[in-house]
Every structure is written in C-alpha cells, then in structure tokens.
Amino acid sequence: MKHKMSIIGFGGMAGWHYSQAEKIENLDIAGIWDIKEERRTYAAEKGIHVYAGLEDLLADPETDLVLIATPNDVHKPAAIAAMKAGKNVICEKPITLSSGDLQEMRDTAAETGRFLTVHQNRRWDEDYLTVKKILEEGKLGELFRLESRVQGSRGIPGDWRQEKEHGGGMILDWGVHLLDQLLLLFPGVPIRSVYGAETNVTNQLVDDGFRAEIVFENGVNALVEVGTSNFISLPRWYVLGTDGTAVIEDWEMNGKIVRASGVDEKDVTPVITAAGLTKTMAPRREDSIFTEALPVVESDVREFYYNVMAVLEGREESRIRLDEVARVMRLMEAISKSAKTGEVISFE
C-alpha cells in the first residue's frame, strides 16, 4: 500500500527524513511547506513539490501522513490542525512543550480517529540497544547504578534552540532522548524520586545542560547528564552491577565489559600511593576477572517508518506509545521543577 507524506518545516532534520524516505518502498514525499523562503527555494531546487501554503498542504487529498519538523512550539498547533484536516501525524521530538499540551493533542487524535506519534529515533541507537542487551542477559549481575550522558563543547546551536519561547534548552532537546531510553530499560518499574540541576554556562535564557539523579523502586540509581561546555567528555554509558561493569565510551562503540571470574582474592597486594597504602582500591588480579567485547546490536532506523505504515494499514501496534511519551514529558517537568526549587521530587 502506497503512502504519501507531506512535511511541515524543511530544516536539517526534515532533510534527514527526506533522505530516509527515499530508501523506503511505498513511502513517497508529496511535498513540503516552510515559512522561510530560502528553504522553499532549496526544496524546489531539489525537485520537491512546494505547497503554496500550509492550508494547501493540509488540503491535499493524496497526503495521508504529515511530518512536523518545525521548532518545538509549533508542534501542537500544527499537529492539531493536521489531524482535524484528516491527516495522520508524525511529530519530531519532543512531541510538544508540556504534558498539558500533549493531552490536548491526544484528545484531538481520539476525536478525529487519526494516528499521532513522535519520532523517538534514538530508540534505534546501537549504544542504547547494546546496553539493553547487556541488562537482558544479566551479564553484570544485579544492577545498582547506570549513567547515561552526552557531552560536547560547542554550546547550544545558534538557532531557536536558544530561545525559551520556541522550546529551547537541553532538557527538551536531548533529555527527551536519554530519558526515553532509560525508562525503556526498566519497563513497568516506578520511579521513586527525581533530583535535577541545570546549567547556564553559555545561555541564560534556557538550560544549556542538566543533571538528573533518578531512583527507581527496584533500587537502581540512574544518572542522566547532558553538557554543552565539556571539552573532555565522560563515557556515553557507565553501567555497574554486583558482578561487573560495562562502559561505552562514545557513539563509535568503543568500550568493554569487565566481569568477576568467580575466583576469590584472599590476599590483596596493597597499592602504594603518595600518602600511604590502600588495599581497598588495589586492582584485581588478572585471574579473578575477565574482559570481553561489547555485544554490539545493529539496527535500522527505517524500522520507525515501517512501523508507522504498518499501523496505518492495521497490521501492527505503534512501537512508540503515547503513554510512554507522556511519562517522559512528566519526568522532564519534574527535573525542571527540582532544578528550580532545589528539592527532591517524589515522582510515582
């Protein structure tokens, strides 16, 4: 079954979607609309149909799917207008600016019978899928600590992401990805508490980084951290269990797993430091541990679109559920509230 998708907003991310759609059978791009003339000109030069306006796009009878790739504050009104025009909708992340706005969008989807989803593309990141596999296989024993972070040194991109009214800031920009991944690692496990802190090193209007300590009911303590003024980055993932530790350094999947071999260390040779001896921090003997490569999981992000088309055809359920999206939105709000008040927030 053929599907035709129109795109509202033709910036960098929309260009990425366009290149992916070209590789997907039975998905065609009907056309685009962007408020910026230079983006409309760019699309036309690529041979893409440019609508006369948003109303023209929404009135196209051949379009059954609309992708919204605009600044974050436009997602809700554009999605509601599209669904009321009879279109199914994909929003770029975050789906909107607040849990209240999301509920309005869900209500419209229910009233119109249209399909609404969000492009949580980092559910297909190999680093996340590899951590998921490590946990599922119980390689580290009982998990007690997990750290997930992304760090760079270039500040916030010099566009609408720097502006509060457009939904800028790193909690909404990157937190929505990392928190979504985290909650999927512990499906059905309630969150006991949340403590958040924001940074404003390069931008005083929105957060240019944040740190969140999240405690789950199963005892796992998770750190989620985003920074844009880090000239030396810490590992992308650092996962600790009772029997071992896993580290993923970067998106190139450099890393390893170190596990206990089961051999007891009765006699520990102390380490001599500048100010004395330590047995506690002495390295393990080589026969008491073993190191192994990461069980890298490969993925294809086009599966997102395959699933969307299958949903529209009634063959599958959506892999991205709006109740999951709403929970992430509430968690981002709790982090922001904690950062402003300095208080630990009881979450669930």
Side-chain angles (χ1 to χ4, degrees):
M1 180 177 175
K2 277 277 188 184
H3 298 276
K4 286 201 171 183
M5 182 171 75
S6 296
I7 302 175
I8 301 174
F10 200 64
M13 199 64 203
W16 182 89
H17 280 278
Y18 177 80
S19 67
Q20 294 299 309
E22 286 189 307
K23 308 170 193 171
I24 298 173
E25 189 177 358
N26 294 326
L27 179 63
D28 294 333
I29 301 298
I32 70 99
W33 169 251
D34 195 294
I35 61 172
K36 293 183 177 179
E37 183 178 356
E38 63 266 27
R39 299 309 299 172
R40 300 196 299 270
T41 300
Y42 173 76
E45 289 172 349
K46 288 178 67 71
I48 303 169
H49 173 64
V50 177
Y51 291 98
L54 180 59
E55 297 80 7
D56 188 32
L57 182 153
L58 296 180
D60 186 347
E62 293 191 357
T63 294
D64 64 338
L65 184 61
V66 170
L67 167 69
I68 299 171
T70 62
N72 297 335
D73 60 313
V74 181
H75 291 181
K76 184 184 84 167
I80 288 175
M83 287 186 284
K84 287 184 174 180
K87 311 303 183 187
N88 302 293
V89 172
I90 298 170
C91 271
E92 254 306 325
K93 61 78 200 170
I95 193 166
T96 188
L97 302 186
S98 71
S99 52
D101 284 350
L102 175 54
Q103 189 57 54
E104 288 184 50
M105 296 166 74
R106 296 179 74 177
D107 290 344
T108 303
E111 291 164 7
T112 60
R114 297 297 92 190
F115 175 56
L116 170 67
T117 192
V118 59
H119 184 230
Q120 290 288 169
N121 54 307
R122 295 200 176 275
R123 293 188 179 196
W124 282 267
D125 275 0
E126 290 183 352
D127 56 281
Y128 155 68
L129 293 173
T130 298
V131 169
K132 188 169 184 285
K133 183 175 181 180
I134 291 170
L135 299 188
E136 288 172 347
E137 294 180 351
K139 284 182 171 290
L140 307 180
E142 184 178 349
L143 191 72
F144 62 88
R145 174 76 170 177
L146 182 146
E147 299 179 5
S148 169
R149 60 172 61 81
V150 291
Q151 295 175 329
S153 60
R154 298 180 180 275
I156 301 177
D159 55 15
W160 57 266
R161 290 172 181 82
Q162 295 188 355
E163 300 168 357
K164 188 175 181 61
E165 62 269 27
H166 293 308
M170 287 296 105
I171 293 178
L172 281 170
D173 192 51
W174 264 103
V176 70
H177 285 309
L178 303 191
L179 296 169
D180 183 64
Q181 291 176 341
L182 177 67
L183 297 189
L184 290 174
L185 291 175
F186 307 107
V189 180
I191 292 172
R192 186 185 304 159
S193 65
V194 178
Y195 179 76
E198 298 178 0
T199 61
N200 298 94
V201 179
T202 64
N203 190 296
Q204 299 301 311
L205 300 177
V206 296
D207 64 290
D208 61 6
F210 75 93
R211 179 185 180 96
E213 290 279 356
I214 298 165
V215 181
F216 288 87
E217 283 290 346
N218 62 3
V220 174
N221 189 300
L223 166 68
V224 175
E225 188 175 23
V226 174
T228 56
S229 298
N230 300 72
F231 289 81
I232 300 174
S233 296
L234 293 169
R236 171 70 186 88
W237 295 91
Y238 189 63
V239 189
L240 299 99
T242 53
D243 297 331
T245 302
V247 62
I248 300 178
E249 298 287 352
D250 46 39
W251 283 304
E252 285 71 46
M253 299 299 295
N254 295 302
K256 61 185 177 181
I257 298 173
V258 178
R259 295 200 281 163
S261 68
V263 175
D264 250 351
E265 284 194 328
K266 291 187 172 62
D267 298 315
V268 178
T269 302
V271 171
I272 301 173
T273 71
L277 305 178
T278 174
K279 285 188 175 182
T280 306
M281 301 306 167
R284 281 183 172 266
R285 292 199 318 262
E286 287 299 316
D287 64 332
S288 70
I289 57 171
F290 57 89
T291 301
E292 60 183 288
L294 297 167
V296 177
V297 178
E298 296 182 354
S299 67
D300 184 350
V301 75
R302 290 177 299 174
E303 289 177 9
F304 170 81
Y305 273 108
Y306 297 144
N307 176 243
V308 167
M309 293 190 293
V311 170
L312 298 184
E313 295 164 18
R315 296 185 287 107
E316 293 180 11
E317 296 291 321
S318 177
R319 289 181 62 174
I320 297 174
R321 299 188 349 238
L322 291 182
D323 58 334
E324 297 169 340
V325 176
R327 190 177 182 220
V328 171
M329 184 64 68
R330 292 194 302 273
L331 183 54
M332 290 192 293
E333 290 169 342
I335 293 168
S336 295
K337 180 180 178 181
S338 176
K340 287 174 175 61
T341 63
E343 298 174 351
V344 175
I345 306 296
S346 295
F347 191 69
E348 293 169 332

